[in-house]
Amino acid sequence: MHLGTQELILILLIVVVLFGGKKVAGLGKALGTSLREFRAEVRKDDDSSSEQTDTSQTKPEESSDVSSKENDETSHRPST
């Protein structure tokens, strides 16, 4: 089921006749604005999630460094 160029033109003409040119243009403008806002929000979420991922990756390494330092300190203490 493939729509060719002729079918798409026919559908577009029917839409213009039914709704009028001004409403179709306004609908296209609203659709474009909505897509731009959606993409901006997706980029914001991606940026914030990548920042969270970066910080979460450094925290375990830091805590493992602290625990290894504690182990080194306890190993140097004389046992009583």
Side-chain angles (χ1 to χ4, degrees):
M1 188 166 158
H2 179 69
L3 290 177
T5 306
Q6 292 177 343
E7 290 86 3
L8 291 175
I9 291 172
L10 181 63
I11 292 170
L12 181 63
L13 287 174
I14 292 171
V15 169
V16 170
V17 168
L18 288 176
F19 296 107
K22 288 184 180 182
K23 286 195 176 190
V24 172
L27 180 65
K29 182 178 178 181
L31 181 64
T33 303
S34 300
L35 283 174
R36 266 186 253 117
E37 290 175 2
F38 178 74
R39 288 179 183 161
E41 291 298 320
V42 168
R43 280 189 222 119
K44 251 191 244 179
D45 289 344
D46 287 345
D47 291 343
S48 65
S49 66
S50 67
E51 288 174 4
Q52 290 174 355
T53 304
D54 291 342
T55 57
S56 67
Q57 288 177 353
T58 57
K59 286 181 182 177
E61 292 171 2
E62 291 172 0
S63 64
S64 65
D65 289 341
V66 170
S67 63
S68 66
K69 286 180 183 179
E70 290 173 356
N71 289 338
D72 289 342
E73 289 174 3
T74 57
S75 64
H76 294 294
R77 292 182 190 162
S79 58
T80 54

